[in-house]
Amino acid sequence: MYAIPHRRRAAAAALTAALLVPLAACGSDDEQSAAAPSAGASSPASAAPEAANLTVLAASSLTDAFKTAGAAYEKAHPGTRVTFSFAGSQELAAQVKQGAPADALVTADTRTMDGLRSETGEATVIAKNRLVIATGKGNPFKIDELKDLADTKVKVVLAAPEVPVGRYGKEILDKQGVTVKPVSQEPNVRAVLGKVELGEADAGLVYKTDSAKSGDKVVAVDIPDDQNAVASYPAAALKQSKNAEAAAAFVAWLSSPEAQKILQDAGFQQA
């Protein structure tokens, strides 16, 4: 074997080094590009939740306000769609326990939400409400206060006692010593209101926000604060959600100034 002269060995080494430098530099750039975010990109901690199709189970009394809120949320979060399923809080609780595919829950009372602690994240009260007496158009029986509902000539409809508004109604009637024999007990507040609107009942106990949507179809008789009950509306993301981050973001948004204005414009009280 012939030995390579010293100068030739030195030249070969220099050439090899020159060729490897660009390759090494390219490899370094590729690794840095893969590891580091591009200019202007947000870090995972500060990035907005990914767009998702959210299903929110919500108390019937939130129907109108949440339709407006859902549209506002979608506008502020392009690519996200919010679908609501409205029902009595007790029905919503049953759906959650049965594993219904949903992402968030908003009930009309804290008791129902408290009973679902193993299925939900931390709950936050987003709004409050009060009850009124809804009477037929023109208030033909001249109902002015709770005790007037005890008149057997007045057909009164209430929500079932397992429904939040039904429980609140029983609470305030019992507190005033008023005994009412309802002609029917309905599964949610909208059903109570519907009976009065259609003339199938002369009066009923509903939320103030629901009576406000009836226009002149019913007359709302206010109940004094010291005789009334305050309904609290807690919201929480569901642990079974497949869109955990987006669900949590929506629940948090419900406490934002924008969402609170929508709720208050609909007649809800600030939480």
Side-chain angles (χ1 to χ4, degrees), residues 21-188:
V21 168
L23 293 175
C26 290
S28 176
D29 288 343
D30 290 341
E31 290 170 2
Q32 291 177 2
S33 297
S38 59
S42 300
S43 65
S46 62
E50 293 183 1
N53 292 326
L54 295 176
T55 297
V56 179
L57 306 179
S60 295
S61 49
L62 290 164
T63 300
D64 300 298
F66 265 22
K67 286 180 179 179
T68 301
Y73 190 79
E74 290 178 350
K75 183 177 180 180
H77 300 79
T80 292
R81 182 176 181 181
V82 184
T83 300
F84 296 101
S85 177
F86 298 104
S89 296
Q90 80 290 348
E91 294 180 50
L92 301 177
Q95 292 177 33
V96 171
K97 291 179 180 178
Q98 292 167 5
D103 302 289
L105 171 69
V106 189
T107 62
D109 66 333
T110 55
R111 181 185 299 185
T112 299
M113 185 67 79
D114 287 345
L116 297 169
R117 287 180 180 175
S118 61
E119 285 88 7
T120 69
E122 184 176 355
T124 302
V125 173
I126 61 162
K128 293 185 178 182
N129 212 343
R130 290 181 181 273
L131 275 64
V132 297
I133 304 170
T135 72
K137 187 174 182 178
N139 192 5
F141 285 89
K142 307 302 178 184
I143 296 171
D144 295 319
E145 53 188 334
L146 287 171
K147 70 178 184 179
D148 293 335
L149 299 178
D151 188 340
T152 55
K153 295 179 182 179
V154 179
K155 293 187 294 183
V156 179
V157 61
L158 301 173
E162 62 269 20
V163 182
V165 69
R167 187 166 62 250
Y168 293 135
K170 184 179 185 306
E171 176 186 319
I172 64 177
L173 289 170
D174 289 349
K175 184 178 179 181
Q176 297 304 310
V178 177
T179 300
V180 175
K181 294 183 178 180
V183 295
S184 69
Q185 293 182 315
E186 302 300 320
N188 58 65

